[in-house]
Structures are given as C-alpha cells and as structure tokens.
C-alpha cells in the first residue's frame, strides 16, 4: 500500500500567484529539499496516510465545498512524486490539479498545471520548464539582484509569458517599491502579494 506524508489538508482561497482568489482545496505534503532562510511554511508535523485515504478526504472536502481546484503544495511536493502519480489516478478526471514547487527536482506531468517558484539553480529550473504551456513562474524578490536575474532569464530564452514577482513577505512593501522602480526594464510582469496573510486566511 502506497503511503503519503501529509502535513495538512484544508480548503481556502489561493492567496498568491496567477490564481489568486480562486477557491481551492490544498494538500500540503511534508518535507522539503531546501532550507530558505525566510521560509514561513510549517511542515514540522505530518501524518502518514494511504493514497486511498488521502483521495477520500480530498474528494469529500471538495464535494462538500463545491471546489474544482486541488493545489498540491509543500514543502516540496515532488519529493513524493510517485505517490502523487498514484493519487491522481484515484481522483475524478474533472478536478483541475496544480502543483506548487520550487522546481529543483525535475518532474513533469502534463495532466497538472505547475506554479514554479525557483529558489536555487534558477537558470536550470527555468530551462527545464519554460517551454511547457501549463507552467507559470513566480519569483520571490529579496533584492535588485533577484530582479536582474529574472530579466536575464527572460531575455536569454525570449520568454514572453507573464512572470509573477512576489516580494519576500517581511519586506513586501519595500520590494514592491523596488519592482516599480524597475518598470522601465521589466516586461509582462505582475505583482504577487500573499493576500491570505493580510486577511488571516490559511
Ligand atoms: S522551497 Fe519553499 S517550502 Fe522549501 S524551504 Fe524554501 S520556501 Fe520553504
């Protein structure tokens, strides 16, 4: 029996990125391969559940709340990719599935949509994923260097889709100013704000 390490399952709004405001059920998986200094995701506890148990909880919660979107997040969910593949087979076909990942472990499944927030090896992550239609990039901005890096990646690969820029939360006012100052050099970007934190939502 395949087991999954689950930190939490809950239903709320998507608070940030391309789908901000969308009602969704979240499956937060335990564990991460990185250790970002500003990480604010609590993945310290988990339960080990079977794929069937997780599927049942998700289906029940989504049906009850009339939810069509499942967001698989972490931590870093690709650490449990084999388990995710098994889980998807147990879910109804009409559920839209999104994966939130740092992209450092290359795992591509065409049946999911990806929101990638690269934290390390950004160039490699971008190269691995940018050609796929169902992939969106959201970069956390902590400095001018981070903005320069995004511009460089976009220019190198002539990437013309929207990129979301999100200031690191403890300095998001300051980072919004910095992004605005860079408007003359930026094309097709949108600001991502972690609205759920301002609204005390999960
Ligand atoms: S990749 Fe995400 S979950 Fe992992 S440490 Fe960094 S911010 Fe936290």
């Amino acid at each position: 029996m395949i087991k999954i390490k689950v930190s939490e399952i809950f239903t709320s709004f998507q608070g940030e990125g391309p789908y901000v405001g969308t009602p969704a059920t979240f499956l937060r998986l335990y564990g991460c391969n990185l250790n970002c200094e500003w990480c604010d995701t609590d993945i310290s506890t988990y339960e080990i559940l079977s794929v069937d148990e997780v599927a049942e909880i998700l289906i029940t919660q989504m049906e009850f709340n009339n939810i069509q979107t499942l967001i698989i997040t972490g931590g870093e969910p690709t650490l449990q990719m084999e388990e995710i593949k098994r889980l998807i087979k147990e879910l109804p076909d009409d559920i839209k599935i999104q994966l939130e990942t740092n992209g450092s472990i290359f795992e591509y499944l065409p049946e999911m949509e990806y929101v990638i927030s690269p934290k390390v090896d950004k160039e490699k992550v971008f190269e691995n994923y940018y050609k796929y239609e169902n992939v969106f990039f959201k970069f956390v901005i902590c400095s001018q260097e981070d903005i320069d890096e995004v511009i460089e990646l976009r220019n190198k690969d002539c990437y013309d889709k929207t990129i979301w820029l999100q200031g690191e939360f403890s300095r998001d006012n300051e980072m919004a100013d910095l992004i605005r100052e860079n408007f003359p050099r930026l094309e097709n970007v949108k600001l991502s704000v972690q609205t759920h934190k301002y609204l005390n939502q999960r």
Side-chain angles (χ1 to χ4, degrees), residues 1-19:
M1 190 189 289
I2 302 239
K3 303 273 192 179
I4 311 186
K5 289 182 181 170
V6 175
S7 280
E8 56 177 347
I9 295 173
F10 62 95
T11 295
S12 186
F13 303 100
Q14 168 59 280
E16 60 191 60
Y19 290 96

Side-chain angles (χ1 to χ4, degrees), residues 81 106-112 114 129 132-135:
M81 204 59 180
F106 180 67
E107 285 280 3
Y108 179 71
L109 279 186
E111 52 265 58
M112 296 194 291
Y114 284 62
Y129 283 103
Y132 295 111
E133 201 49 46
N134 55 342
V135 167

Side-chain angles (χ1 to χ4, degrees), residues 14 19 22 24-28 69-73 96-100:
Q14 168 59 280
Y19 290 96
T22 305
T25 294
F26 291 76
L27 169 62
R28 186 182 303 289
T69 301
L70 169 65
I71 297 175
I72 303 176
T73 189
K96 182 174 177 178
I97 303 174
Q98 288 174 4
L99 187 81
E100 292 187 331

Side-chain angles (χ1 to χ4, degrees), residues 28 31-43 73-77 101-104 117-120 140:
R28 186 182 303 289
C32 189
N33 59 335
L34 303 182
N35 187 21
C36 306
E37 63 185 48
W38 35 262
C39 179
D40 56 2
T41 308
D42 181 10
I43 45 166
T73 189
E76 178 44 52
T101 171
N102 63 40
S104 60
S117 184
K119 308 292 192 313
V120 295
V140 176

Side-chain angles (χ1 to χ4, degrees), residues 68 79 132 146 153 173 180 185 192 200:
Q68 284 79 44
L79 290 171
Y132 295 111
D146 290 337
L153 290 176
N173 269 326
R180 186 168 39 76
R185 303 173 61 227
S192 171
N200 291 323

Side-chain angles (χ1 to χ4, degrees), residues 7-202:
S7 280
E8 56 177 347
I9 295 173
F10 62 95
T11 295
S12 186
F13 303 100
Q14 168 59 280
E16 60 191 60
Y19 290 96
V20 66
T22 305
T25 294
F26 291 76
L27 169 62
R28 186 182 303 289
L29 299 185
Y30 172 77
C32 189
N33 59 335
L34 303 182
N35 187 21
C36 306
E37 63 185 48
W38 35 262
C39 179
D40 56 2
T41 308
D42 181 10
I43 45 166
S44 54
T45 57
Y46 64 90
E47 257 187 287
I48 299 179
L49 300 171
S50 71
V51 165
D52 288 351
E53 285 172 316
V54 176
E56 197 184 326
I57 296 168
L58 291 173
I59 291 167
T60 306
Q61 201 167 125
M62 293 178 81
E63 280 181 2
F64 177 79
N65 290 291
N66 192 21
I67 298 288
Q68 284 79 44
T69 301
L70 169 65
I71 297 175
I72 303 176
T73 189
E76 178 44 52
T78 58
L79 290 171
Q80 299 188 72
M81 204 59 180
E82 290 312 309
E83 292 83 348
I84 290 174
K85 287 177 190 165
R86 291 295 295 268
L87 175 66
I88 287 175
K89 289 197 178 113
E90 304 301 321
L91 297 174
D93 291 340
D94 57 351
I95 288 181
K96 182 174 177 178
I97 303 174
Q98 288 174 4
L99 187 81
E100 292 187 331
T101 171
N102 63 40
S104 60
I105 302 166
F106 180 67
E107 285 280 3
Y108 179 71
L109 279 186
E111 52 265 58
M112 296 194 291
E113 215 164 54
Y114 284 62
V115 177
I116 303 183
S117 184
K119 308 292 192 313
V120 295
D121 296 332
K122 293 180 192 171
E123 189 173 346
K124 187 163 161 255
V125 172
F126 198 74
E127 293 291 322
N128 279 341
Y129 283 103
Y130 84 96
K131 291 189 183 120
Y132 295 111
E133 201 49 46
N134 55 342
V135 167
F136 302 95
F137 288 98
K138 181 184 69 186
F139 286 85
V140 176
I141 301 301
C142 304
S143 65
Q144 179 63 49
E145 286 71 38
D146 290 337
I147 296 179
D148 294 343
E149 205 173 5
V150 171
I151 293 170
E152 223 171 278
L153 290 176
R154 152 161 266 159
N155 291 345
K156 184 164 167 269
D157 292 309
C158 301
Y159 185 81
D160 59 6
K161 280 165 64 180
T162 304
I163 287 178
W164 280 261
L165 302 181
Q166 180 174 295
E168 189 267 303
F169 185 66
S170 68
R171 293 185 291 152
D172 66 347
N173 269 326
E174 190 192 328
M175 290 301 111
D177 284 341
L178 187 64
I179 293 165
R180 186 168 39 76
E181 284 158 21
N182 277 271
F183 277 174
R185 303 173 61 227
L186 288 168
E187 267 177 59
N188 209 3
V189 295
K190 285 188 178 166
L191 181 68
S192 171
V193 179
Q194 293 182 291
T195 57
H196 52 298
K197 295 187 179 172
Y198 286 102
L199 299 171
N200 291 323
Q201 301 289 316
R202 293 170 84 183

